[in-house]
């Protein structure tokens, strides 16, 4: 296992997507923002889907609204390139269904559960272990299920489907998300454990 | 330091981090997490790239996200110890107690199943909420939009049946 971890760092150092320290720094900030906004909490993520808390959708909409415009500007300025994931329709639909069920039951996503563990939540740790087994089972079953994941529609963006209008799409999507994020009322699930962490 | 930040501040900070990561000054790629999760599990269980097709397939992106997730853990740990001071050992979330039950074994079994579904589902879909919803949505990717609608829709339906209000059903 130690070999595998050393190999992981070697691969990152060699691939030109930032140095190992840059990648660790990005992760550190990502985890810090998730914890500081309390997005790692079950009450925020599962609470959103049972309509008892609105932090997660508002924050996600704000992030995508700003990033949408920012990414467009970065790409236009030649400082970044779009890297769109392929639309493998079968895998995408079945995977999203399983993911949605897991998300509402565990109440965390595959980065927030690490943040939750760092806060001392044992149930999140069990979720991570479940995820580790899930990842391993996927790797082992991949040769059989890869045939069921298609059809592959390619790495397409909305502008490819609508035949252009890229700037317009980015602006409309960002503005819509921004306005909706502002209009959604604040519903904050009151967690007594936040006031008295010893409980 | 305040012990939490409002949603809009979280959104602004998150998008600034995304700009940095996405641009050539940072990593020149969007943020994702679930590929890293699968990669870490391959490291843990010793599923090497020579004999496993999927390990070879995610060799570069998985390693990047795996290292990032190590950073995520320490970022969370730093904040929970020194800023929010919320670090404490806990077993069951408050809302779970209110809507489901107070049994530790029940929460643990469901956590394991849910963690499994999360990562297995994310790998099947080719990404999780970080890769598909946040990064995908920001790039107006069709895959990201489909994932967002289906995953959140399923989550809301599942939540309705899974967390029945106490007393509202016989």
């Amino acid at each position: 296992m130690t070999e595998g971890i050393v190999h992981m760092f070697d691969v990152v150092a060699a691939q030109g997507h930032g140095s190992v320290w840059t990648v660790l720094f990005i992760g550190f900030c990502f985890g810090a923002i998730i914890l500081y906004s309390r997005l790692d909490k079950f009450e925020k993520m599962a609470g959103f889907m049972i309509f008892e808390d609105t932090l997660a959708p508002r924050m996600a909409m704000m992030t995508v609204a700003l990033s949408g415009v920012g990414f467009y500007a970065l790409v236009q300025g030649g400082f970044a390139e779009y890297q769109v994931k392929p639309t493998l329709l079968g895998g995408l639909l079945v995977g999203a269904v399983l993911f949605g069920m897991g998300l509402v039951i565990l109440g965390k996503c595959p980065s927030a559960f690490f943040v939750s563990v760092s806060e001392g939540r044992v149930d999140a740790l069990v979720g991570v272990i479940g995820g580790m087994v899930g990842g391993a089972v996927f790797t082992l079953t991949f040769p059989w299920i890869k045939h069921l994941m298609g059809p592959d529609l390619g790495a397409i963006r909305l502008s490819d489907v609508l035949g252009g209008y890229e700037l317009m799409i980015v602006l409309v999507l960002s503005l819509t998300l921004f306005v909706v994020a502002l209009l959604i009322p604040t519903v904050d699930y009151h967690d007594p454990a936040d006031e008295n962490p010893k409980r | 330091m305040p012990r939490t930040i409002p949603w809009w501040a979280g959104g602004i900070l998150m998008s600034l981090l995304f700009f940095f990561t996405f641009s050539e000054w940072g990593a020149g790629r969007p943020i994702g997490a679930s590929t890293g999760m699968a990669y870490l599990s391959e490291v843990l269980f010793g599923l090497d790239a020579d004999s496993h097709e999927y390990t070879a397939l995610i060799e570069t992106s998985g390693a990047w996200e795996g290292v990032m997730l190590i950073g995520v853990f320490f970022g969370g740990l730093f904040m929970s110890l020194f800023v929010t001071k919320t670090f404490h050992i806990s077993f069951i979330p408050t809302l779970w107690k209110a809507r489901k039950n107070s049994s530790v074994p029940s929460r643990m079994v469901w956590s394991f199943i849910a963690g499994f579904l999360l990562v297995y589902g994310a790998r099947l879909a080719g990404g999780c909420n970080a890769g598909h919803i946040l990064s995908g949505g920001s790039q107006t990717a069709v895959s990201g939009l489909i994932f967002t609608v289906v995953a959140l829709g399923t989550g809301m339906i599942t939540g309705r049946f899974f967390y029945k209000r106490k007393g509202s059903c016989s």
Side-chain angles (χ1 to χ4, degrees):
Chain A
M1 200 177 100
T2 324
E3 262 174 56
I5 294 171
V6 173
H7 178 68
M8 175 172 76
F9 281 96
D10 288 343
V11 170
V12 172
Q15 67 179 263
H17 284 300
S19 68
V20 169
W21 287 111
T22 308
V23 181
L24 283 171
F25 173 74
I26 289 168
F28 188 92
C29 295
F30 195 40
I33 297 169
I34 290 174
L35 193 109
Y36 208 7
S37 57
R38 314 303 289 128
L39 204 61
D40 68 304
K41 280 169 64 77
F42 177 87
E43 287 73 17
K44 301 294 168 192
M45 203 76 92
F48 150 45
M49 281 182 281
I50 54 176
F51 309 102
E52 297 220 4
D53 198 288
T54 54
L55 175 91
R58 296 185 95 185
M59 187 170 149
M61 284 178 187
M62 189 66 153
T63 304
V64 175
L66 296 177
S67 298
V69 176
F71 282 15
Y72 182 82
L74 284 171
V75 171
Q76 291 299 312
F79 302 114
E81 277 172 28
Y82 280 124
Q83 286 167 43
V84 177
K85 287 175 184 286
T87 305
L88 281 158
L89 207 55
L92 189 63
L93 292 175
V94 178
V97 167
L98 298 180
F99 184 87
M101 292 163 73
L103 190 62
V104 75
I105 296 172
L106 187 61
K108 352 246 162 195
C109 61
S111 43
F113 58 20
F114 279 100
V115 182
S116 270
V117 174
S118 77
E119 208 177 20
R121 296 179 189 274
V122 180
D123 60 326
L125 178 64
V126 174
V128 170
I129 296 168
M132 289 281 180
V133 176
V137 170
F138 184 82
T139 304
L140 292 172
T141 53
F142 183 71
W144 293 280
I145 51 175
K146 68 174 177 184
H147 306 293
L148 308 171
M149 285 162 72
D152 189 353
L153 305 181
I156 45 173
R157 300 175 57 220
L158 273 183
S159 52
D160 298 318
V161 177
L162 302 175
Y165 315 106
E166 191 180 344
L167 177 62
M168 187 73 85
I169 293 168
V170 169
L171 288 179
V172 169
L173 185 74
S174 286
L175 193 66
T176 309
L177 290 175
F178 188 78
V179 171
V180 173
L182 288 178
L183 291 180
I184 298 177
T186 298
V187 182
D188 186 23
Y189 184 84
H190 178 73
D191 184 0
D194 276 346
E195 275 138 44
N196 181 8
K198 295 287 168 284
R199 238 188 266 185
Chain B
M1 292 275 266
R3 285 181 56 183
T4 183
I5 47 172
W7 64 272
W8 51 267
I12 291 171
L13 287 175
M14 195 69 102
S15 59
L16 289 176
L17 176 67
F18 279 22
F19 295 164
F20 174 70
T21 310
F22 189 62
S23 73
E24 59 186 28
W25 307 298
R29 56 158 288 164
I31 277 185
S34 68
T35 318
M37 189 59 208
Y39 189 91
L40 290 178
S41 87
E42 284 152 5
V43 171
L44 185 72
F45 292 104
L47 309 172
D48 59 85
D50 295 333
S51 39
H52 296 91
E53 192 182 347
Y54 191 67
T55 309
L57 205 63
I58 63 166
E59 178 87 351
T60 49
S61 64
W64 191 95
E65 293 180 10
V67 171
M68 191 203 80
L69 286 175
I70 294 173
V72 165
F73 175 80
F74 285 104
L77 189 64
F78 176 83
M79 294 304 277
S80 76
L81 286 177
F82 301 114
V83 180
T84 63
K85 298 189 173 72
T86 45
F87 183 90
H88 67 290
I89 302 295
S90 65
F91 294 89
I92 309 175
T94 310
L95 182 56
W96 177 281
K97 270 185 209 162
R99 294 291 282 267
K100 193 73 184 169
N101 58 42
S102 319
S103 152
V104 173
S106 159
R107 175 61 187 157
M108 295 307 151
V109 169
W110 279 115
S111 290
F112 184 88
I113 295 170
F116 185 98
L117 288 175
L118 262 185
V119 176
Y120 196 89
R123 290 335 301 147
L124 205 53
C128 61
N129 54 339
H132 268 322
I133 300 183
L134 299 177
S135 300
S138 302
Q139 301 185 75
T140 64
V142 172
S143 53
L145 301 172
I146 295 175
F147 183 85
T148 307
V149 172
V150 177
L152 297 185
T154 310
M156 284 172 188
I157 296 167
T158 309
R160 243 185 115 78
F161 290 103
F162 195 78
Y163 303 107
K164 279 184 180 153
R165 272 186 191 282
K166 281 175 184 169
S168 67
C169 61
S170 50

